[in-house]
């Protein structure tokens, strides 16, 4: 993974995809729907960014498990940095969603199961960051936070995907509302939506890669100083 | 015989669907939701695209410059490591 993060090809592909998302996102013809009007284009930003967050958090989980397996510092660094940028994307997802809500539901925030559940999930991940900063010993920090990461992810799935679908919710895709996939997400939108998911995931990976590489440099400095 | 009947029934059931037929409801001129067609006609949509593109160009430039700085640091680190290892 570290070698992949140092390569450039996916970064340029990511740039191209982001510009495709922006340009095509505003210029393609969108389905004409009540209440949403043009704001359905937020699909390429709000929804795609949540998908990207999910990908980053899965990566974080994978490296947490790897760390528990072999205790290599690099796995701990990967796990924590992917989680961090995942949280950032989650916050962006909530703010873009809030903006969308203001213009479609009439309020910046509603007391809604999906919104509440995703906020709780994000708070759980924020607690992961706090946990890490509260432990001094590197190895202990890595192990305890890796276990916590697994539990955080295990909480994320039911909170974000399952719980809201069991009850009534304003949010599309839950409790009585058709998801955008049923009749709104026609093939025109899909052509920009899937590249958008890749684009924002690439940006998330890029942002994480900077922090990861800097942390690895720090590790090397510490190592060299010890000699 | 049973298989044949089964196939016939499946074929007949192909035209059933649970989704609402949207075609019949949507295209009545008075009820079409308003879209930003005027913006597109007057070319203003390109202002939107342009502004967002400029913002993201700035963001990309930041990412690329930071990437280069980190690469430089990594190269320096490799040099230092080499020198120390030779000693």
């Amino acid at each position: 993974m570290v070698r992949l993060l140092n390569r450039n090809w996916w970064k340029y592909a990511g740039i191209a995809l982001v510009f495709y998302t922006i340009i095509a996102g505003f210029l393609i013809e969108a389905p004409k729907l009540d209440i949403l009007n043009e704001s359905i284009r937020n699909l390429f930003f709000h929804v795609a960014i949540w998908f990207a967050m999910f990908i980053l958090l899965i990566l974080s989980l994978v490296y947490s498990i790897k760390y528990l397996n072999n205790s290599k510092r690099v796995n701990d660094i990967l796990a924590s940095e992917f989680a961090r940028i995942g949280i950032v994307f989650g916050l962006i997802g909530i703010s873009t969603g809030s903006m969308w809500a203001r213009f479609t539901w009439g309020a910046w925030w509603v007391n809604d199961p999906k919104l509440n559940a995703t906020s709780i999930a994000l708070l759980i991940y924020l607690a992961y960051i706090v946990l890490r900063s509260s432990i001094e010993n590197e190895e202990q920090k890595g192990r305890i936070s890796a276990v916590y990461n697994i539990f955080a992810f295990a909480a994320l799935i039911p909170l974000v995907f399952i719980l809201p679908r069991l009850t009534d919710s304003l949010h599309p895709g839950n409790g009585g509302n058709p998801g955008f996939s049923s009749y709104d997400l026609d093939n025109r939108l899909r052509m920009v939506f899937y590249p958008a998911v890749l684009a924002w995931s690439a940006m998330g990976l890029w942002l994480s890669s900077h922090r990861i590489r800097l942390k690895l440099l720090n590790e090397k400095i510490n190592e060299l100083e010890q000699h | 015989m049973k298989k044949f009947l089964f196939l016939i029934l499946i074929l007949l059931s192909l035209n059933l669907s649970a989704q609402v037929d949207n075609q019949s409801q949507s295209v009545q001129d008075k009820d079409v939701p308003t879209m930003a067609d005027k913006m597109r006609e007057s070319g203003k949509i390109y202002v939107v695209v342009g502004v967002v593109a400029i913002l993201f160009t700035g963001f990309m430039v930041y990412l690329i410059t930071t990437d280069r700085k980190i690469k430089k640091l990594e190269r320096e680190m490799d040099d230092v490591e080499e020198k120390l290892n030779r000693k």
Side-chain angles (χ1 to χ4, degrees), chain A residues 6 8 11 15 19 22 26 31-34 37-38 41 183 200 203 206-207 210 213 217 220-221, chain B residues 22 32-36 40 49 52-53 56-57 60 63-64 66-67 70-71 73-74 77-78 81:
Chain A
N6 279 329
N8 282 334
K11 297 171 187 169
I15 293 180
F19 280 108
I22 295 171
F26 287 117
K32 301 178 195 286
L33 300 159
D34 282 319
N37 299 311
E38 292 281 357
R41 296 169 196 276
Y183 63 88
W200 302 125
M203 293 300 113
W206 202 349
L207 287 167
H210 284 171
R213 287 157 73 189
L217 279 171
K220 258 199 189 152
I221 293 177
Chain B
N22 269 318
V32 169
T34 49
M35 304 292 275
R40 270 193 279 264
V49 176
V52 182
F56 276 95
T57 312
M60 298 301 139
L63 280 176
I64 294 176
T66 317
D67 210 276
I70 296 184
K71 233 178 213 131
L73 276 175
E74 282 170 341
M77 179 60 71
D78 285 336
E81 241 187 335

Side-chain angles (χ1 to χ4, degrees), chain A residues 138-150:
Chain A
E138 293 280 342
E139 228 194 284
Q140 246 190 8
K141 180 196 296 206
R143 254 182 320 191
I144 295 181
S145 60
V147 175
Y148 184 86
N149 195 345
I150 297 174

Side-chain angles (χ1 to χ4, degrees), chain A residues 1 34 54 73 121 128 133 166 171 193 214 220 224:
Chain A
M1 173 53 83
D34 282 319
F54 195 62
R73 277 293 298 152
Y128 167 79
S133 60
L166 298 175
H171 192 281
F193 177 64
L214 283 172
K220 258 199 189 152
L224 291 175

Side-chain angles (χ1 to χ4, degrees), chain A residues 87-119:
Chain A
I87 294 171
V88 169
F89 272 42
L91 291 170
I92 294 178
I94 290 222
S95 11
T96 48
S98 174
M99 179 140 237
W100 205 352
R102 170 65 184 85
F103 289 98
T104 51
W105 300 340
W108 294 101
W109 191 265
V110 294
N111 196 14
D112 179 272
K114 180 87 168 192
L115 275 61
N116 290 335
T118 48
S119 308

Side-chain angles (χ1 to χ4, degrees), chain A:
Chain A
M1 173 53 83
V2 177
R3 254 175 311 190
L4 177 66
L5 293 178
N6 279 329
R7 306 293 303 282
N8 282 334
W9 59 268
W10 56 269
K11 297 171 187 169
Y12 296 135
I15 293 180
L17 285 168
V18 166
F19 280 108
Y20 170 74
T21 304
I22 295 171
I23 296 173
F26 287 117
L27 294 179
I28 58 161
E29 221 187 283
K32 301 178 195 286
L33 300 159
D34 282 319
I35 302 176
L36 284 170
N37 299 311
E38 292 281 357
S39 74
I40 185 139
R41 296 169 196 276
N42 202 9
L43 203 83
F44 313 131
F45 302 92
H46 170 76
V47 184
I49 286 188
W50 277 115
F51 271 63
M53 174 204 88
F54 195 62
I55 291 174
L56 287 166
L57 292 180
I58 288 180
L59 281 170
S60 173
L61 174 76
V62 164
Y63 286 102
S64 272
I65 296 176
K66 279 194 174 174
Y67 180 78
L68 288 174
N69 227 342
N70 57 26
S71 289
K72 283 194 195 156
R73 277 293 298 152
V74 64
N75 287 333
D76 182 45
I77 291 174
L78 284 165
S80 64
E81 295 312 322
F82 282 138
R84 267 180 195 265
I85 304 296
I87 294 171
V88 169
F89 272 42
L91 291 170
I92 294 178
I94 290 222
S95 11
T96 48
S98 174
M99 179 140 237
W100 205 352
R102 170 65 184 85
F103 289 98
T104 51
W105 300 340
W108 294 101
W109 191 265
V110 294
N111 196 14
D112 179 272
K114 180 87 168 192
L115 275 61
N116 290 335
T118 48
S119 308
I120 294 174
L122 273 180
L123 283 172
I124 293 177
Y125 269 95
L126 278 169
Y128 167 79
I129 305 289
V130 174
L131 177 68
R132 286 188 67 87
S133 60
S134 70
I135 304 175
E136 284 289 337
N137 179 303
E138 293 280 342
E139 228 194 284
Q140 246 190 8
K141 180 196 296 206
R143 254 182 320 191
I144 295 181
S145 60
V147 175
Y148 184 86
N149 195 345
I150 297 174
F151 281 119
F153 191 83
L156 179 79
I157 305 288
L159 277 172
V160 173
F161 296 111
I162 303 178
L163 185 60
R165 279 164 221 241
L166 298 175
T167 68
D168 291 324
S169 165
L170 263 179
H171 192 281
N174 307 295
N177 290 325
F180 276 134
S181 54
S182 66
Y183 63 88
D184 304 342
L185 191 58
D186 60 13
N187 286 327
R188 296 171 294 179
L189 292 184
R190 276 205 178 96
M191 281 201 52
V192 184
F193 177 64
Y194 294 137
V197 172
L198 289 173
W200 302 125
S201 309
M203 293 300 113
L205 263 170
W206 202 349
L207 287 167
S208 320
S209 79
H210 284 171
R211 293 187 61 96
I212 292 166
R213 287 157 73 189
L214 283 172
K215 279 232 171 116
L216 286 170
L217 279 171
N218 261 333
E219 285 286 305
K220 258 199 189 152
I221 293 177
N222 289 338
E223 226 181 281
L224 291 175
E225 275 177 353
Q226 276 173 6
H227 283 306

